[in-house]
Amino acid sequence: MKSMAQLEYHYGLKVRIYPSDYQKQIIKVNSDASRFVYNEMVAIGKELWQLNRVKLSIDTVQDRIQQLKLRQNAKQMSNHFQFLEDKRIDSLAKANAIQNYHKAWNAFRKVHETGVPKFHRKSYAWRYQTSCQYPKQKTARLDNGTVCFEDRKHIVVPKLGRLRIKGAQQRLLDRQGETRIGTVTISKDAADRFFLSLQLGSDTPFVPKISRTNRQIGIDLNTENFLTASDGRTIANPRYYRTIKGKLAKAQRTLSRRQRRAKKEQRSLRESKNYQKQRLLVAKIHARVFDRRHDFLQRTSTALIKNQDLVVAEELRSRNLLKNHALAMSISDVGWRSFLSMLSYKADLYDRQFITVSPKNTTQTCHDCGFVMGSDGTEKLTLADREWVCPQCHVHHIRDYNAALNILEKGLQKQQKA
């Protein structure tokens, strides 16, 4: 039986689950255990770093180093902390927490942006990972592992047992070829919704092959319209956060008043029922905005990838753009970074090509003659300039459409060089 890394195609599936009260307790116990193990690994790493700075060969220091190194193991850690031997705790949840700690270090060494692993604090969101195993099985399917689908509406998970689900795709369950379930993540968000995320692997594609369209498109992302394409189409910016901002602000003011009242009466926020009711209301408003934006981005990205052989977009750095306080809210609301990530993985999924190009001068350059605004003593275009006339060839341009044409041209040049 092949491992997940040996399988050619990978696919992610996220479904909503509806656990019972007892199952919720098990999820909470495993989430806390997973967080504790991860934090213990961070603490051990910090202490080892400090002890290794001691250059003298002191026996006490060396013994302590050996003790800490031995504890960097799920079994040894469980022996040291007896509460981790609770039968409700999934052993693979502890192993995955340790594995995630090592992955965090590897990511830091490669990228050097996210920083070293840090302590995970308590949160209203719960999360832990387990893995699907196939004991005494010759082939892997969706219905014969330790995590398995009973039918379209039920799934079995270790320690949790049978869970009612919503959102499983029947086409996945009807697959005839070998399909392996890898890492399984059980989570609860701040709005008290429970989800199950599965990593699937197979040697056969998860989506049917679609024919070539012989079309290519460049897209300019902006805050005026969400997207302007090189074929002249525009997609309006839905502005989901702005439409609900007033209602959210009112709910947050109520939440703040209840927080002050609880602190004044020296009551714990977790035990203040009125505060928790209002916190849940605020979380649901945020979740509604996220869900609507996520659905919009998914539909738009899928339509673009399916209908074009080549999609070209600007390589935007949202972190730098957010430094502009005048545009920070609009940039956060539109979700550019998530949209580009969706285009990237969907291009691989549907066997299409997605290219990002440098945004330098895509707006300032005339597509007809190549004149760059700001050169020869001309002034650069500002955000207020939605239309302009080229000083050299006198062609009238719509700002975003001209930028989309330049982006597509850059993408075609990059494709030829590759």
Side-chain angles (χ1 to χ4, degrees):
M1 185 187 300
K2 291 184 178 180
S3 64
M4 286 293 294
Q6 294 172 332
L7 296 172
E8 184 177 358
Y9 299 97
H10 295 89
Y11 191 77
L13 177 65
K14 185 176 182 179
V15 295
R16 180 88 179 266
I17 59 175
Y18 301 91
S20 65
D21 290 341
Y22 178 68
Q23 289 171 329
K24 289 178 183 178
Q25 292 177 10
I26 297 177
I27 294 173
K28 180 68 166 66
V29 168
N30 279 276
S31 175
D32 290 345
S34 178
R35 187 184 72 253
F36 176 85
V37 170
Y38 185 92
N39 289 344
E40 185 64 20
M41 290 295 295
V42 174
I44 290 173
K46 288 178 178 292
E47 189 174 349
L48 283 173
W49 178 77
Q50 292 174 343
L51 291 173
N52 286 324
R53 295 179 68 186
V54 179
K55 302 302 182 182
L56 300 176
S57 57
I58 303 173
D59 292 340
T60 306
V61 173
Q62 297 303 319
D63 290 343
R64 179 59 177 170
I65 290 174
Q66 293 301 320
Q67 290 176 8
L68 292 174
K69 286 183 177 179
L70 287 174
R71 205 189 301 170
Q72 291 179 312
N73 175 282
K75 186 175 181 180
Q76 294 297 330
M77 194 176 293
S78 297
N79 291 335
H80 189 79
F81 300 101
Q82 289 299 310
F83 66 89
L84 291 176
E85 296 286 356
D86 191 329
K87 292 183 179 180
R88 295 175 297 176
I89 297 177
D90 190 340
S91 61
L92 293 174
K94 295 179 284 187
N96 274 285
I98 295 174
Q99 187 179 31
N100 289 338
Y101 170 78
H102 293 302
K103 286 181 179 178
W105 265 114
N106 292 334
F108 167 71
R109 294 187 182 102
K110 289 180 181 179
V111 183
H112 288 283
E113 285 187 3
T114 55
V116 300
K118 300 178 180 65
F119 291 108
H120 288 174
R121 63 180 183 180
K122 284 186 178 181
S123 170
Y124 291 109
W126 306 342
R127 184 177 181 273
Y128 79 93
Q129 289 183 331
T130 184
S131 301
C132 179
Q133 296 181 322
Y134 294 88
K136 300 180 181 179
Q137 300 289 345
K138 294 183 179 180
T139 58
R141 299 195 310 273
L142 295 179
D143 59 356
N144 68 341
T146 54
V147 178
C148 61
F149 286 90
E150 285 191 347
D151 52 51
R152 190 169 178 268
K153 294 186 179 296
H154 296 92
I155 191 171
V156 176
V157 180
K159 301 298 181 180
L160 294 175
R162 192 168 183 256
L163 285 165
R164 185 165 66 91
I165 65 174
K166 177 184 179 183
Q169 301 172 10
Q170 188 63 43
R171 65 178 181 83
L172 292 176
L173 302 181
D174 293 339
R175 287 171 60 86
Q176 299 298 322
E178 180 178 355
T179 304
R180 184 185 180 93
I181 300 176
T183 303
V184 179
T185 305
I186 299 94
S187 60
K188 178 185 84 75
D189 64 9
D192 283 359
R193 301 179 301 175
F194 290 83
F195 297 95
L196 187 74
S197 303
L198 302 104
Q199 179 192 17
L200 308 180
S202 179
D203 282 329
T204 57
F206 285 93
V207 295
K209 289 187 176 180
I210 51 179
S211 58
R212 293 287 175 180
T213 61
N214 296 321
R215 290 199 295 264
Q216 50 213 12
I217 196 171
I219 56 175
D220 176 59
L221 302 175
N222 52 84
T223 55
E224 189 72 19
N225 294 313
F226 171 73
L227 179 151
T228 302
S230 57
D231 58 3
R233 290 180 296 165
T234 60
I235 297 177
N237 186 354
R239 295 183 171 89
Y240 291 117
Y241 177 76
R242 287 185 181 273
T243 58
I244 208 168
K245 185 174 65 170
K247 183 177 180 181
L248 177 61
K250 184 178 179 181
Q252 286 175 327
R253 285 195 295 270
T254 303
L255 180 67
S256 181
R257 286 197 300 270
R258 293 183 178 179
Q259 181 184 24
R260 288 197 302 269
R261 187 182 304 135
K263 288 186 176 181
K264 186 177 180 180
E265 297 173 1
Q266 296 182 348
R267 289 183 286 114
S268 170
L269 292 180
R270 291 184 180 272
E271 296 175 358
S272 302
K273 292 184 178 180
N274 287 337
Y275 173 83
Q276 290 299 328
K277 287 179 182 178
Q278 192 64 23
R279 181 204 63 79
L280 186 59
L281 177 62
V282 172
K284 286 182 177 179
I285 295 174
H286 278 295
R288 193 178 308 135
V289 174
F290 172 82
D291 289 345
R292 293 175 67 190
R293 183 191 297 121
H294 185 75
D295 181 68
F296 168 75
L297 296 178
Q298 289 282 11
R299 291 176 183 272
T300 306
S301 58
T302 300
L304 278 173
I305 291 296
K306 279 188 173 182
N307 296 322
Q308 318 293 332
D309 290 340
L310 171 66
V311 178
V312 187
E314 293 175 295
E315 189 176 346
L316 297 174
R317 302 281 183 179
S318 298
R319 181 182 298 177
N320 297 333
L321 294 171
L322 288 172
K323 294 177 182 177
N324 185 341
H325 70 277
L327 297 174
M329 182 186 294
S330 297
I331 293 170
S332 299
D333 193 14
V334 80
W336 286 339
R337 188 69 259 166
S338 298
F339 182 66
L340 294 177
S341 298
M342 291 176 186
L343 288 174
S344 179
Y345 81 75
K346 288 180 182 180
D348 295 333
L349 191 63
Y350 290 99
D351 194 23
R352 299 301 201 216
Q353 191 171 11
F354 172 65
I355 298 176
T356 56
V357 297
S358 171
K360 184 178 180 181
N361 289 332
T362 54
T363 301
Q364 308 289 338
T365 304
C366 172
H367 178 69
D368 289 75
C369 67
F371 179 80
V372 180
M373 295 295 291
S375 61
D376 296 338
T378 58
E379 294 184 359
K380 283 191 172 185
L381 300 175
T382 65
L383 287 174
D385 300 321
R386 308 313 303 175
E387 298 182 15
W388 59 287
V389 176
C390 177
Q392 183 166 293
C393 65
H394 307 291
V395 174
H396 177 267
H397 291 297
I398 298 174
R399 175 195 177 100
D400 300 330
Y401 175 61
N402 176 71
L405 291 172
N406 288 329
I407 290 168
L408 176 59
E409 187 174 350
K410 275 192 171 185
L412 293 173
Q413 292 173 359
K414 188 175 181 179
Q415 185 186 38
Q416 291 175 357
K417 292 178 182 178

